[in-house]
């Protein structure tokens, strides 16, 4: 697709002059934020990306509002069009609904972070929309930054995959996960950058076109190496949507669109073939083939990939049960992972107690299960309203560059919507930023298509300014609490490993908060202090802390097992057994709980129960437990 060299630029310049916008400082701020948000990491928190990036996002929004809308007194429309009001109105209704629903949740505090972040997302969307309305002619500045960051992220991921560098960056699963701490989200982030890089390729100067081509090549290889099916599918949907929408709304460029689409398709195929061929010795060829075939054969084959598919389907089934059980208010934001184990764990990855429920890998099911059906409708209506705005704007007489940008942003939104069906991208701040930027660009261009007279621009009123400031400050405060909680949790656990229980208690207490009660893995700080008190043989305090933790997460197998261990130390074997049995109810293959149950049953003289529990033990991992099994069997023979 060739760049339109005459009329578009004239129309853009006319629009800018009409609205009297001569500053590009907003885009400088956004470009800087785009560079920082995806690279910030914390090595001291439980999860290395969320809390630090949440804090940076809150600070950015707070600073942006204070500088542009308060200090510089920038104007906004006196009355936004109905479609724009629908986006923010449904977003605010979603917030209010969830605020009410949390009153019925197991642990309301588990949803406070999600709740305040919903307001932050709306504020960030407003900022991006207004920046585009004023300075869309400078959007290329932000796009260039995203392209450069895409190359950086791709390089880091590839170096991780081949074991060359960046191996000490913390993450939750197998590399490559780049700077995203999760391989799935690494692939998703690259998929979401595709529309921006494509825009750079289409409209930029020759030197930046080369950078865009390099970025497209790098992200193609990196998405493939991420072995993330949701990212593959999201990328394909983005490209197909861009091609389809381009054919419909960019009629003058159909030949160029077809030409460059074919060239791009050939390039992708060549890169995929080369990548697979080069990686024959790494085993990734088989993994890629299995995951690609899983789109057609589902879970029929007996492979790790099919097990992953089956586990995900089981999670969706359990989540559907939760929705049927609580269709109105749901379980409450952040409470899915606290409730799902109570619906059974057969076929789920946390049945062995080594993993904890975190998310169902489907944003729509999770939203419906946590917010109820009404809350889900508010949530999804915001998305639908943005898409409607995009299509309404595409039918208007706007500049070609803006129309191309709109087509690509809508294709990007379709990619996000696709990825959300199989993953959890909007949990992360950098992914949310890409998505909100797509939405903000769409809404901003729509506002630019309306004359300044009709918009009736005015300086932001004092109540609105202070509402935005309060939202920013509230999120900075919540981000600090979340960061401090996770950092204290990590340090407390390190002190526990050293056997320094007194300092562990002090450290854990410094991170406690009534607003943040659980870390991303669903563990309460009171479990850490309880373990420390147990180490100091202060059993009364250990039980007090752990029972408080149980209020925050009542179905945690690990917590139940730890409470059982306190009673074991107190030689109250009968009560200990009851807690180990509760742990095994929610994690039937939990090896530590099974061993401890067997030991306590032995102390109670229940030798057959000891043997029964140990039959489920993997003795290759716990060979010393054989001795207990033999003792119990000998006791049974003696009784006979």
């Amino acid at each position: 697709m060739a760049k339109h060299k005459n009329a578009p630029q004239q129309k853009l310049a006319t629009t800018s002059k009409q609205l009297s916008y001569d500053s590009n400082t907003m885009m400088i701020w956004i470009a800087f934020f785009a560079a920082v948000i995806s690279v910030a990491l914390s090595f001291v928190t439980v999860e290395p990306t969320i809390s630090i990036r949440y804090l940076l996002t809150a600070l950015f929004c707070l600073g942006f509002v204070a500088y542009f809308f308060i200090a510089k007194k920038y104007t906004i429309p006196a009355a936004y069009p109905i479609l724009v009001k629908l986006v923010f109105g449904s977003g605010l209704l979603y917030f209010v609904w969830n605020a009410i629903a949390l009153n019925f949740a197991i642990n309301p505090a588990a949803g406070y972070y999600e709740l305040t972040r919903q307001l932050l997302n709306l504020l960030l969307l407003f900022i991006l929309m207004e920046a585009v309305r004023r300075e869309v002619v400078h959007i290329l500045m932000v796009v260039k930054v995203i392209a450069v960051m895409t190359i950086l992220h791709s390089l880091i991921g590839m170096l991780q995959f081949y074991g060359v560098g960046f191996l000490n960056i913390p993450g939750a699963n197998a590399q490559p996960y780049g700077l995203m701490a999760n391989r799935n989200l690494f692939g998703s982030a690259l998929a979401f950058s595709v529309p921006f890089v494509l825009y750079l390729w289409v409209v930029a100067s020759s030197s930046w076109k080369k950078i865009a081509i390099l970025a497209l090549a790098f992200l193609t290889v990196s998405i493939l190496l991420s072995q993330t099916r949701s990212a593959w599918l999201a990328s394909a949907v983005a490209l197909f949507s861009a091609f389809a929408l381009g054919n419909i709304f960019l009629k003058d460029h159909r030949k160029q669109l077809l030409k460059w689409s074919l060239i791009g398709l050939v390039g992708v195929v060549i890169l995929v073939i080369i990548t697979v061929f080069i990686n024959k010795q790494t085993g990734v060829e088989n993994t890629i083939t299995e995951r690609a075939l899983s789109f057609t054969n589902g879970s029929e084959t007996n492979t790790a990939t099919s097990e992953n598919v089956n586990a995900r389907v089981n999670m969706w089934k359990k989540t559907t049960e939760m929705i049927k059980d609580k269709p109105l208010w749901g379980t409450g934001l952040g409470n899915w992972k606290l409730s799902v184990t109570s619906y059974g764990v057969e076929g789920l990855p946390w049945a062995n107690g080594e993993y904890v429920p975190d998310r169902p890998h489907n944003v729509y099911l999770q939203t419906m299960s946590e917010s109820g059906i009404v809350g889900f409708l508010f949530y999804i209506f915001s998305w639908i309203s943005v898409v409607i705005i995009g299509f309404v704007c595409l039918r208007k007489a706007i500049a070609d560059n803006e129309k191309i940008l709109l087509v690509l942003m809508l294709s990007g939104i379709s990619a996000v919507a696709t990825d959300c069906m199989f993953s959890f991208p909007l949990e992360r701040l950098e992914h949310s930023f890409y998505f909100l930027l797509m939405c903000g660009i769409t809404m901003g261009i729509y506002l630019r298509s309306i004359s300044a007279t009709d918009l009736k621009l005015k300086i932001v009123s004092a109540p609105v300014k202070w509402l935005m400031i309060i939202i920013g400050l509230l999120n900075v405060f919540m981000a600090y609490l979340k960061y401090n909680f996770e950092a204290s949790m990590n340090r407390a656990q390190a002190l526990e490993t050293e056997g320094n229980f007194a300092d562990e208690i002090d450290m854990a207490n410094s991170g406690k908060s009534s607003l943040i009660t659980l870390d991303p893995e669903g563990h309460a700080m009171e479990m850490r202090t309880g373990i420390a008190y147990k180490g100091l043989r202060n059993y009364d305090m250990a039980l007090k802390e752990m029972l408080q933790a149980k209020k925050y997460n009542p179905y945690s197998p690990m917590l139940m097992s730890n409470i059982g261990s306190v009673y074991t130390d107190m030689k109250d074997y009968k009560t200990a057994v009851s807690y180990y049995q509760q742990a095994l109810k929610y994690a039937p293959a939990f090896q530590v709980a099974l061993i401890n149950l067997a030991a306590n049953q032995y102390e109670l003289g229940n030798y057959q129960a000891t043997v029964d529990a140990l039959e489920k033990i993997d003795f290759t991992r716990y060979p010393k437990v054989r001795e207990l099994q033999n003792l119990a069997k000998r006791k049974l023979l003696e009784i006979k």
Side-chain angles (χ1 to χ4, degrees):
M1 188 185 300
K3 179 181 177 182
H4 201 300
K5 295 183 178 180
N6 297 310
Q9 283 77 5
Q10 291 175 358
K11 190 164 186 178
L12 283 173
T14 302
T15 305
S16 294
K17 184 176 180 181
Q18 175 193 10
L19 297 179
S20 301
Y21 299 149
D22 57 2
S23 170
N24 67 348
T25 51
M26 279 185 163
M27 285 301 172
I28 291 175
W29 276 58
I30 294 170
F32 178 77
F33 179 68
V36 172
I37 189 62
S38 63
V39 299
L41 288 172
S42 170
F43 287 79
V44 300
T45 51
V46 175
E47 203 289 327
T49 66
I50 294 178
S51 57
I52 185 65
R53 295 178 187 181
Y54 175 39
L55 179 60
L56 289 174
T57 303
L59 288 171
F60 167 76
C61 290
L62 182 62
F64 193 99
V65 168
Y67 181 70
F68 289 106
F69 295 126
I70 294 181
K72 298 194 74 174
K73 298 182 179 179
Y74 275 23
T75 57
I76 62 170
Y80 285 98
I82 184 64
L83 287 172
V84 174
K85 289 179 179 178
L86 286 175
V87 174
F88 289 100
S90 54
L92 287 171
L93 286 172
Y94 177 67
F95 167 81
V96 172
W97 183 268
N98 281 295
I100 298 171
L102 278 175
N103 290 289
F104 306 100
I106 292 172
N107 181 357
Y112 292 162
Y113 154 68
E114 302 282 355
L115 193 64
T116 55
R117 197 182 139 189
Q118 171 63 17
L119 289 178
L120 186 66
N121 285 341
L122 290 174
L123 179 56
L124 180 56
L125 176 60
F126 175 79
I127 286 170
L128 295 171
M129 177 187 72
E130 278 299 307
V132 172
R133 180 180 70 82
R134 300 180 65 93
E135 304 174 11
V136 73
V137 290
H138 301 293
I139 193 65
L140 207 57
M141 183 191 310
V142 179
V143 173
K144 288 175 180 178
V145 169
I146 292 175
V148 172
M149 299 309 296
T150 298
I151 293 173
L152 174 65
H153 286 297
S154 298
L155 274 173
I156 291 173
M158 287 188 283
L159 290 172
Q160 283 179 340
F161 180 80
Y162 292 110
V164 176
F166 301 99
L167 303 178
N168 294 324
I169 294 175
N173 52 10
Q175 293 177 333
Y177 46 68
L179 300 176
M180 302 300 165
N182 181 285
R183 191 174 68 184
N184 288 28
L185 296 173
F186 170 67
S188 298
L190 293 174
F192 295 175
S193 68
V194 168
F196 299 103
V197 178
L198 284 175
Y199 182 71
L200 184 65
W201 181 30
V202 171
V203 306
S205 61
S206 57
S207 57
W208 278 101
K209 280 184 186 295
K210 294 174 184 176
I211 292 174
I213 292 170
L214 182 65
L216 288 169
F218 275 29
L219 68 84
T220 299
V221 174
S222 297
I223 290 175
L224 189 64
L225 293 179
S226 75
Q227 303 157 65
T228 305
R229 286 162 294 182
S230 60
W232 298 349
L233 191 58
S235 302
V237 168
L239 294 172
F240 176 79
S241 300
F243 179 78
L245 292 173
N247 270 287
I248 296 171
F249 295 105
L250 299 169
K251 296 178 181 179
D252 295 338
H253 301 285
R254 282 177 176 171
K255 289 184 179 179
Q256 296 99 317
L257 177 63
L258 180 61
K259 172 186 172 183
W260 290 111
S261 296
L262 289 173
I263 292 173
L265 180 61
V266 171
V268 168
V269 170
I270 291 172
L271 283 171
V272 169
I273 293 172
I274 292 173
T275 303
V276 171
F277 177 79
I278 290 174
N279 289 282
K280 275 192 172 184
Q281 304 304 318
T282 66
V284 75
E285 178 191 13
N286 293 332
T287 305
I288 290 173
T289 303
E290 285 177 10
R291 289 174 180 266
L293 289 174
S294 70
F295 286 117
T296 57
N297 63 17
S299 57
E300 295 175 6
T301 57
N302 186 22
T303 63
T305 299
S306 66
E307 290 178 7
N308 181 278
V309 171
N310 289 332
R312 196 161 297 186
V313 170
N314 284 331
M315 281 191 280
W316 295 346
K317 289 179 179 177
K318 298 299 180 187
T319 306
T320 302
E321 289 179 29
M322 295 169 67
I323 295 169
K324 291 178 180 178
D325 190 34
K326 297 181 178 180
L328 182 60
W329 298 110
T331 62
L333 286 178
N335 278 256
W336 177 89
K337 61 186 175 185
L338 308 183
S339 304
V340 68
T341 49
S342 66
Y343 288 83
V345 296
E346 183 181 356
L348 295 174
W350 49 83
N352 61 9
E354 294 181 4
Y355 301 97
V356 292
D358 47 11
R359 52 192 81 82
H361 289 255
N362 185 305
V363 171
Y364 310 111
L365 286 177
Q366 181 170 352
T367 302
M368 199 178 299
S369 68
E370 292 187 339
S371 304
I373 295 174
V374 175
F376 171 77
L377 292 175
F378 289 142
Y379 175 78
I380 204 68
F381 192 72
S382 288
W383 290 42
I384 294 171
S385 299
V386 173
V387 173
I388 291 172
I389 286 172
F391 280 105
V392 168
C393 197
L394 281 172
R395 298 176 65 87
K396 292 189 174 187
I398 60 175
D400 277 8
N401 277 10
E402 293 184 3
K403 190 166 286 191
I404 292 168
L405 185 57
L406 266 178
V407 163
L408 290 170
M409 293 304 99
L410 287 174
S411 73
I413 292 171
S414 71
V416 176
T418 301
D419 194 75
C420 284
M421 293 177 65
F422 309 100
S423 189
F424 43 95
L426 300 185
E427 172 193 81
R428 301 303 176 91
L429 278 297
E430 65 284 349
H431 292 65
S432 292
F433 168 68
Y434 284 145
F435 172 61
L436 292 173
L437 181 58
M438 295 170 192
C439 295
I441 289 172
T442 302
M443 296 167 69
I445 292 176
Y446 171 67
L447 289 176
R448 287 178 63 83
S449 70
I450 302 171
S451 69
T453 303
D454 291 337
L455 288 177
K456 300 177 183 177
L457 300 178
K458 67 168 187 176
I459 295 174
V460 184
S461 63
V464 175
K465 289 179 184 177
W466 289 112
L467 176 61
M468 291 190 289
I469 289 292
I470 290 169
I471 291 173
L473 288 171
L474 176 62
N475 278 275
V476 169
F477 175 65
M478 287 295 292
Y480 166 75
L481 291 180
K482 184 172 175 60
Y483 183 91
N484 185 55
F485 183 95
E486 290 191 37
S488 299
M489 176 74 81
N490 245 359
R491 294 181 186 124
Q493 194 164 4
L495 290 167
E496 179 185 311
T497 303
E498 297 170 4
N500 192 345
F501 300 119
D503 287 345
E504 179 185 5
I505 293 169
D506 291 339
M507 179 56 66
N509 284 333
S510 71
K512 283 183 181 179
S513 168
S514 59
L515 299 178
I516 304 290
T517 57
L518 300 170
D519 70 11
E521 296 179 350
H523 299 319
M525 192 71 78
E526 284 77 5
M527 188 176 77
R528 295 264 74 85
T529 51
I531 292 172
Y533 279 120
K534 173 179 173 288
L536 295 173
R537 299 184 181 181
N538 186 342
Y539 300 122
D540 288 341
M541 283 300 297
L543 288 175
K544 179 183 177 183
E545 292 292 295
M546 288 189 183
L547 290 175
Q548 179 61 43
K550 188 173 180 291
K551 291 180 181 179
Y552 294 143
N553 191 352
Y555 307 117
S556 168
M558 184 176 292
L559 180 58
M560 301 295 183
S561 182
N562 276 304
I563 295 174
S565 70
V566 176
Y567 281 107
T568 298
D569 281 10
M570 296 169 65
K571 302 189 185 305
D572 185 350
Y573 303 120
K574 187 174 181 179
T575 306
V577 164
S578 70
Y579 275 100
Y580 291 129
Q581 288 173 337
Q582 288 182 61
L584 292 167
K585 178 181 178 182
Y586 305 119
F590 191 1
Q591 299 287 282
V592 172
L594 283 166
I595 292 169
N596 288 335
L597 173 64
N600 280 265
Q601 293 283 28
Y602 184 87
E603 293 292 341
L604 290 170
N606 300 328
Y607 305 120
Q608 186 58 55
T610 302
V611 173
D612 292 343
L614 293 177
E615 284 179 353
K616 302 173 185 177
I617 296 298
D618 180 1
F619 289 106
T620 59
R621 294 178 60 189
Y622 304 97
K624 293 183 179 179
V625 182
R626 283 277 189 196
E627 184 178 346
L628 177 60
Q629 184 185 50
N630 293 333
L631 285 172
K633 287 180 176 179
R634 281 200 291 268
K635 290 289 187 180
L636 285 173
L637 289 173
E638 289 174 7
I639 293 172
K640 292 180 180 179

